[in-house]
Amino acid sequence: MKLIIAYIQPHVLNEVKQELYKAEVYKISVTNAMGCGQQKGYTEQYRGVEIEVNLLKKVRVEIAVNDNFVKPTIDAIIRGARSGEIGDGKIFVLPIEECIRIRTGETGSVAIG
């Protein structure tokens, strides 16, 4: 079992979700996030004062999958989020030690679904 965490641009979230659905991955968690990387932010004027904005809006997508869904899930995220420009995002893959479905008490790969 793996936990896939992807940081993507907010405007590509729908494309990523569509690609995940095509790959038969339906269970995702989405959180708004802020961060900076190679984009390094930008400067803007607010009431005559120059402000440096270096934390940019991102979306954090978390998906817990069984081992046979890791590659299709990663490929779907890349298809939906890649523009070829700096700031497309990052994908992290972490091992999951245990998963428990609260409703039924199922554990392990059966609980992920």
Side-chain angles (χ1 to χ4, degrees), residues 5-20 39 58-59 61 73-91:
I5 302 171
Y7 287 92
I8 60 173
Q9 295 283 353
H11 66 273
V12 299
L13 178 59
N14 283 333
E15 288 86 354
V16 169
K17 286 190 333 187
Q18 289 173 359
E19 292 295 332
L20 287 168
Q39 288 174 294
K58 300 286 183 181
V59 172
V61 179
T73 302
I74 292 170
D75 292 343
I77 293 169
I78 291 171
R79 279 194 308 272
R82 178 179 282 165
S83 72
E85 302 293 323
I86 291 175
D88 279 349
K90 292 263 192 308
I91 300 173

Side-chain angles (χ1 to χ4, degrees), residues 6-8 13 28-34 58-62:
Y7 287 92
I8 60 173
L13 178 59
I28 66 172
S29 295
V30 178
T31 310
N32 288 321
M34 296 185 76
K58 300 286 183 181
V59 172
R60 176 183 168 127
V61 179
E62 295 181 7

Side-chain angles (χ1 to χ4, degrees), residues 49-103:
V49 178
E50 192 169 287
I51 298 172
E52 183 179 340
V53 179
N54 59 3
L55 292 177
L56 303 174
K57 291 181 181 178
K58 300 286 183 181
V59 172
R60 176 183 168 127
V61 179
E62 295 181 7
I63 308 166
V65 296
N66 288 313
D67 291 332
N68 56 331
F69 274 92
V70 173
K71 180 83 168 111
T73 302
I74 292 170
D75 292 343
I77 293 169
I78 291 171
R79 279 194 308 272
R82 178 179 282 165
S83 72
E85 302 293 323
I86 291 175
D88 279 349
K90 292 263 192 308
I91 300 173
F92 303 98
V93 181
L94 306 168
I96 295 177
E97 188 172 320
E98 185 62 84
C99 177
I100 302 161
R101 180 175 284 151
I102 295 171
R103 177 176 51 90

